[in-house]
Amino acid sequence: MTKTLVIAEKPSVAQDIVRALTPVAGKFDKHEDHFENDRYVVTSAVGHLVEIQAPEEFDVKRGKWSFAHLPVIPPYFDLKPVDKTKSRLNAVVKQAKRKDVTELINACDAGREGELIFRLIEQYAGGAKPLGKPVKRLWLQSMTPQAIRDGFDALRTEQQMAGLASAARSRSEADWLVGINGTRAMTAFNSRDGGFFLTTVGRVQTPTLSLVVEREEKIRKFVSRDYWEIHATFGAEAGEYPAKWFDPKWKKSEDVEARADRVWSAAEAQSIANAVRGKQATVTEESKPTTQASPLLFDLTSLQREANGKFGFSAKTTLALAQSLYERHKALTYPRTDSRALPEDYLPVAKQTFEMLADSGMRHLAPHAATALAGNYIRPTKRIFDNSKVSDHFAIIPTLQAPSGLSEAEQKLYDLVVRRFMAVFFPSAEYTVTTRISTVAPHSFKTEGKVLVKPGWLAIYGKEAADEVEGGKDGDKGQNLVPVKPGESVNTVAVDPKGLKTKPPARYSEATLLGAMESAGKQIDDEELRSAMQEKGLGTPATRAAIIEGLLTEKYMLREGREIIPTAKAFQLMTLLRGLEVEELCRADLTGEWEFKLSQMEKGLLTREAFMQQIAAMTERMVKKAKEYDRDTIPGDYATLESPCPNCGGVVKENYRRFACVGKPGAEPCGFSFGKSPAGRTFETAEANALLRDKKIGPLEGFRSKAGWPFTSEIVIKYDDEAHNYKLEFDFGDDKKGEESGELVEFADASLGACPICGSEVHEHGSNYVCSKAVPTAAQPTPSCTFKSGKIILQQPVEREQMHKLLETGKTDLLDKFVSMRTRRAFKAHLAWDKEAGKVNFEFAPSKFPPRPGAATKTIAPKAGKTSATAKKAPAKKAAAKTTAAKAPRKAAAGKAPSAALAAVIGTDPVARPEAVKKLWEYIKAHNLQDPKDKRTIVADDKLRAVFGKDSAGMFELAGLLGQHLGD
């Protein structure tokens, strides 16, 4: 009997497909890497299993990154397995090559990346010749069992997916060509004077970075100007009201800071105030009703922006939460969408969703859903239901499944989506807007009042949100005005000039940067016009978070609170690209055009060959510009350091490559200089000043050795007797032992705890805390781990006690002596282990900036099989600490040894019953053992069956069932 192989993108989706198909296709048997019954074999990738690479004859290894080997434009691309998932790839390929498998179904995520993941696996499985098995496409926009079954009833053909497949491959190859050639060309240019200065660029990441750099340049160059406003209070028979002077004849000019209500001299402001003080004013007034519709439904980018603004969530965190609500909880529709509308036949589903919300028991949401149903608000409208505005996926909305067991962060995001979904169906908010002009000839004063008459959709958000929408930028809006009778004269009770200063543009937050990426840098505030620009944006909704995170990882940008700030490395790259006149990598709108062409290709309106020819031409031009540049320096806006030359006391100025002495006025330079980017780490101007002033700085992180290893070091300036001048040197202290020389390290101190990466012991080593497997030791001469954290971070000493606490609990106490290298301001933060990033990061105060879900909030688990005292005791200590904190001053519950059956699920360490229940729930959720139809029922696997003594158990039975498995 022949079978059909279904390949999902993730194991959890494969399990959902099996559950959905079982009632209609029969029971599946579970194997190590797949599920199988008489009709289907279901397996999955774990994201990308295969990536493209240049054929061997075109590949250039690092160390030979010179212009002689550029550009690299291979006629075709080979494939290579992703190292960490090679075994998974082999398992999928094995199923694809089975003789009884005669058809494939691509069940990867519905979008460009899901298409690419499947196509590369299929190509790799075929080897030298195509696999030759017909392919159909499962296109899922919801993960409910019925939606999955409906998807199998409406599989798409190979021909229907051809455009998306071409766009997926073209995007991948274009990013490879621009990224590889651009990075190697700029690295070769920056390494001309020796060393290896890795300079990464990308087709989307670099134009995104240019947006941030351009904004920072405007801030730095901004010169604040004084201006004045004239504020008055007028008295009528019914009471007093405020007003502000304005020029009714004012028109926009080239002065972007000019406004109708601003004057530019104190004398003029005082003259106006003196002219009207104590005088009578005549009043004209106009009142008119106005309405405000709710915002559109969420796509991914607008959801990320809203979550960043409201909760401080990063774009990456929002995407992870939305993906969890879609995949794991089945509570939201597919999140990686750029659509803000629903299909025209979705009205019945929308009504059913309101019915689910009204009956859900969610007391903060259910009443509004009931109101909408009673008022017949769910009606067809082109603003919500429009097929022409639905791309591969529709807007993000709640599904018919009410969620349970959400984390706090998941609940916040779910509520955000549900409120927006309900609001779009509610009536518009209705206001009465009154504009009152009080005139003391020839001067006019304006007062605006905006009174909410009917809240409409604002009722869903409560009074606080209604007040926020009512108010304006000025203090005289959003108020109930006292009435003025027709023809009544009013008195000028008070009038005062108010001195103010113009402000520079705000730095980007993730919310505003996502908006700028969406519109390719064009400042578009109107939501519906922004929607029309989306196809020309930078990246896609699914990739923008990763682009921002990549720039942060490469140290091109820093996150400080909610602000995103470019580093010196970013400015240096932009200076280089502008100097080389490589416009394509600098201008967001030009690169946005490439994204538009990819979307045209998806629709069959542009050929893959034409697009790739344009990318190849762009690549060749970029390399040619770098290769043929023959001037000594790159023109740019360079700094002059405050600290004098240590050799002659002269002025030290920046150029493209170095900070160099230009001598005292009227004197020749002495020859002192130092490179801006030693070992690939670029000095900030403040750091260079501190280095000259103190003759040393650090320890600083972010350096890379010639072999590519990251290291931390102090930098010192020492006098060289031979050169009769000062020169820059690295000062490793004890760290040089092992890191640079290869000498074996012996640790003399006691272990601080278990390494969060590999579970080995962490020790002090020179100016760092390092994993014992991150340096050469007698036990392991070749390092295999990367964990390292400085003993001083941004001038904050990190004591042994704090590092021990971080390793044991996931984060330190709140430390208050960090100093930003960018702003020179002190700030407070916890140091926390960030599992996703694989490093120690900052965690700010929860009230302002909530921590990432899952990051630095759990005990760091020791490596499986670890038996040291440190590894064994950590979880027990944490359990006791948590219980004490929650129930102080009551004594923490003593841990009890679990039975053999329970130990197979939660481990062998003694635990209190609450901790055992918590661990059991972690196991249940990790293995998706909640009944999809009734989340309160746990379906037992083999391990849980031994604990429960039956095939299933209710969630409220768990504590009782565990009691018999916890002995003394």
Side-chain angles (χ1 to χ4, degrees), residues 278-340:
K279 300 210 174 152
Q280 294 272 304
T282 58
V283 178
T284 59
E285 191 168 274
E286 180 183 359
S287 293
K288 58 182 180 181
T290 187
T291 61
Q292 182 182 5
S294 78
L296 297 172
L297 293 170
F298 283 124
D299 64 358
L300 178 58
T301 301
S302 59
L303 179 61
Q304 287 170 320
R305 294 175 66 202
E306 188 85 358
N308 182 254
K310 273 190 163 52
F311 311 129
F313 293 164
S314 70
K316 179 182 178 184
T317 294
T318 299
L319 176 55
L321 290 170
Q323 198 73 22
S324 173
L325 287 164
Y326 161 68
E327 261 181 41
R328 183 175 160 204
H329 297 287
K330 314 296 184 294
L332 294 185
T333 56
Y334 187 77
R336 296 169 184 256
T337 176
D338 60 358
S339 297
R340 304 191 70 174

Side-chain angles (χ1 to χ4, degrees), residues 8-18 42 44 107-109 140 143 148 326-327 928:
E9 189 167 320
K10 304 176 191 71
S12 60
V13 177
Q15 290 176 337
D16 290 336
I17 290 171
V18 167
V42 181
S44 74
C108 293
D109 287 358
L140 296 178
M143 290 300 294
I148 293 171
Y326 161 68
E327 261 181 41
N928 290 312

Side-chain angles (χ1 to χ4, degrees), residues 226-230 263-274 497-499:
D226 294 328
Y227 71 92
W228 284 260
E229 293 177 350
I230 302 96
V263 296
W264 298 100
S265 76
E268 183 182 359
Q270 194 61 55
S271 171
I272 293 170
N274 293 340
K498 187 176 181 180

Side-chain angles (χ1 to χ4, degrees), residues 744-943:
L744 298 182
V745 176
E746 292 182 18
F747 297 112
D749 65 317
S751 169
L752 286 153
C755 170
I757 296 176
C758 73
S760 300
E761 294 181 344
V762 173
H763 293 270
E764 279 190 67
H765 178 52
S767 58
N768 288 300
Y769 298 108
V770 300
C771 173
S772 58
K773 291 187 177 179
V775 293
T777 62
Q780 183 176 303
T782 303
S784 62
C785 185
T786 58
F787 178 79
K788 181 189 295 186
S789 185
K791 289 160 71 174
I792 300 175
I793 298 175
L794 293 182
Q795 302 185 32
Q796 166 72 58
V798 182
E799 305 296 342
R800 279 181 62 91
E801 177 189 355
Q802 293 298 332
M803 179 51 58
H804 173 69
K805 184 167 287 191
L806 185 150
L807 295 173
E808 187 161 338
T809 68
K811 67 179 178 181
T812 65
D813 294 334
L814 187 66
L815 306 178
D816 60 2
K817 294 178 182 175
F818 295 106
V819 178
S820 164
M821 290 307 303
R822 169 67 58 184
T823 63
R824 310 303 298 165
R825 293 197 300 261
F827 65 93
K828 299 178 182 179
H830 300 274
L831 290 177
W833 175 247
D834 186 335
K835 188 176 180 181
E836 288 182 15
K839 62 181 180 181
V840 173
N841 264 337
F842 293 114
E843 180 184 303
F844 294 93
S847 58
K848 285 191 175 182
F849 312 116
R852 271 179 247 190
T857 57
K858 298 178 182 177
T859 300
I860 305 301
K863 188 176 180 181
K866 185 74 180 172
T867 56
S868 73
T870 306
K872 284 278 185 185
K873 290 177 182 176
K877 284 184 182 177
K878 190 190 176 193
K882 286 191 76 170
T883 309
T884 304
K887 301 186 178 182
R890 189 187 299 173
K891 188 176 179 180
K896 295 183 178 180
S899 69
L902 183 57
V905 178
I906 68 169
T908 57
D909 292 331
V911 286
R913 190 180 302 190
E915 186 70 5
V917 172
K918 180 184 173 186
K919 289 187 174 186
L920 188 63
W921 266 111
E922 289 173 355
Y923 178 89
I924 290 165
K925 290 182 178 180
H927 292 80
N928 290 312
L929 296 177
Q930 288 174 276
D931 188 329
K933 294 180 180 177
D934 180 9
K935 291 283 188 178
R936 291 171 295 183
T937 300
I938 314 305
V939 180
D941 61 4
D942 290 341
K943 289 183 179 179

Side-chain angles (χ1 to χ4, degrees), residues 377-396:
Y377 292 168
I378 306 97
R379 296 190 292 267
T381 165
K382 275 288 185 183
R383 190 166 184 266
I384 305 171
F385 302 99
D386 188 344
N387 288 345
S388 67
K389 293 179 181 176
V390 174
S391 56
D392 299 339
H393 316 281
F394 50 77
I396 304 171

Side-chain angles (χ1 to χ4, degrees), residues 604-844:
L605 302 175
L606 178 69
T607 66
R608 172 164 150 72
E609 291 71 26
F611 177 80
M612 293 311 300
Q613 284 173 6
Q614 292 172 333
I615 290 289
M618 170 188 173
T619 301
E620 288 172 341
R621 179 182 176 277
M622 175 176 57
V623 172
K624 186 169 185 257
K625 284 280 189 181
K627 186 186 293 189
E628 296 179 357
Y629 192 86
D630 57 0
R631 279 169 276 176
D632 292 336
T633 187
I634 300 285
D637 184 13
Y638 296 116
T640 299
L641 299 187
E642 297 170 3
S643 301
C645 169
N647 195 47
C648 71
V651 176
V652 177
K653 288 191 173 183
E654 177 190 13
N655 59 43
Y656 178 68
R657 297 185 187 279
R658 307 185 72 77
F659 290 100
C661 174
V662 297
K664 293 181 179 179
E668 291 292 315
C670 69
F672 168 77
S673 72
F674 62 94
K676 285 167 62 176
S677 304
R681 185 198 186 279
T682 304
F683 282 118
E684 301 290 338
T685 304
E687 291 174 334
N689 267 316
L691 176 60
L692 289 188
R693 183 186 67 240
D694 303 331
K695 303 290 191 300
K696 70 174 183 177
I697 190 171
L700 301 177
E701 297 177 326
F703 299 107
R704 284 191 175 270
S705 68
K706 290 180 181 178
W709 280 83
F711 67 90
T712 300
S713 177
E714 286 191 356
I715 299 284
V716 297
I717 293 179
K718 289 185 177 178
Y719 190 77
D720 186 327
D721 292 324
E722 289 186 18
H724 303 294
N725 210 326
Y726 284 84
K727 69 176 185 179
L728 180 148
E729 291 182 0
F730 290 105
D731 185 354
F732 295 98
D734 294 337
D735 285 0
K736 187 168 184 179
K737 182 183 181 182
E739 280 192 10
E740 293 294 304
S741 68
E743 188 177 337
L744 298 182
V745 176
E746 292 182 18
F747 297 112
D749 65 317
S751 169
L752 286 153
C755 170
I757 296 176
C758 73
S760 300
E761 294 181 344
V762 173
H763 293 270
E764 279 190 67
H765 178 52
S767 58
N768 288 300
Y769 298 108
V770 300
C771 173
S772 58
K773 291 187 177 179
V775 293
T777 62
Q780 183 176 303
T782 303
S784 62
C785 185
T786 58
F787 178 79
K788 181 189 295 186
S789 185
K791 289 160 71 174
I792 300 175
I793 298 175
L794 293 182
Q795 302 185 32
Q796 166 72 58
V798 182
E799 305 296 342
R800 279 181 62 91
E801 177 189 355
Q802 293 298 332
M803 179 51 58
H804 173 69
K805 184 167 287 191
L806 185 150
L807 295 173
E808 187 161 338
T809 68
K811 67 179 178 181
T812 65
D813 294 334
L814 187 66
L815 306 178
D816 60 2
K817 294 178 182 175
F818 295 106
V819 178
S820 164
M821 290 307 303
R822 169 67 58 184
T823 63
R824 310 303 298 165
R825 293 197 300 261
F827 65 93
K828 299 178 182 179
H830 300 274
L831 290 177
W833 175 247
D834 186 335
K835 188 176 180 181
E836 288 182 15
K839 62 181 180 181
V840 173
N841 264 337
F842 293 114
E843 180 184 303
F844 294 93

